[in-house]
């Protein structure tokens, strides 16, 4: 249900580091998180929504080799 910062970094194949997540939390950017005492947790559902929000859609009608 919840992931730690280390697990979030693994989820994104280390493309987002634990340090980056820490910086994002300080700047209030990045995926939503919960802070309970010293524990920082990321709800899985919130990460999935954050993924969808940042999805880059490509226009398939103008692919490589397409003729006009």
């Amino acid at each position: 249900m919840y992931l730690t910062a280390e697990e979030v970094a693994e989820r994104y194949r280390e493309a987002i580091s634990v340090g980056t997540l820490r910086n994002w939390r300080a700047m209030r950017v990045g995926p939503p998180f919960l802070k309970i005492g010293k524990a920082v947790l990321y709800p899985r559902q919130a990460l999935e929504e954050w993924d969808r929000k940042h999805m880059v859609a490509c226009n398939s009608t103008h692919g490589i080799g397409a003729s006009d």
Side-chain angles (χ1 to χ4, degrees), residues 55-68:
M55 179 75 62
V56 177
C58 297
N59 187 347
S60 63
T61 61
H62 293 93
I64 296 173
S67 59
D68 291 312

Side-chain angles (χ1 to χ4, degrees), residues 5-66:
E6 291 79 11
E7 292 168 327
V8 172
E10 287 178 27
R11 173 189 169 106
Y12 293 105
R13 299 180 180 175
E14 309 298 330
I16 300 173
S17 70
V18 173
T20 295
L21 291 168
R22 186 180 310 113
N23 290 338
W24 285 355
R25 287 193 306 270
M27 295 185 304
R28 299 291 193 245
V29 298
F33 64 93
L34 295 170
K35 186 155 175 131
I36 302 171
K38 292 183 179 182
V40 175
L41 301 171
Y42 293 85
R44 285 182 195 255
Q45 184 175 357
L47 289 171
E48 291 168 10
E49 291 171 13
W50 190 74
D51 291 346
R52 282 190 293 277
K53 181 180 174 185
H54 292 88
M55 179 75 62
V56 177
C58 297
N59 187 347
S60 63
T61 61
H62 293 93
I64 296 173

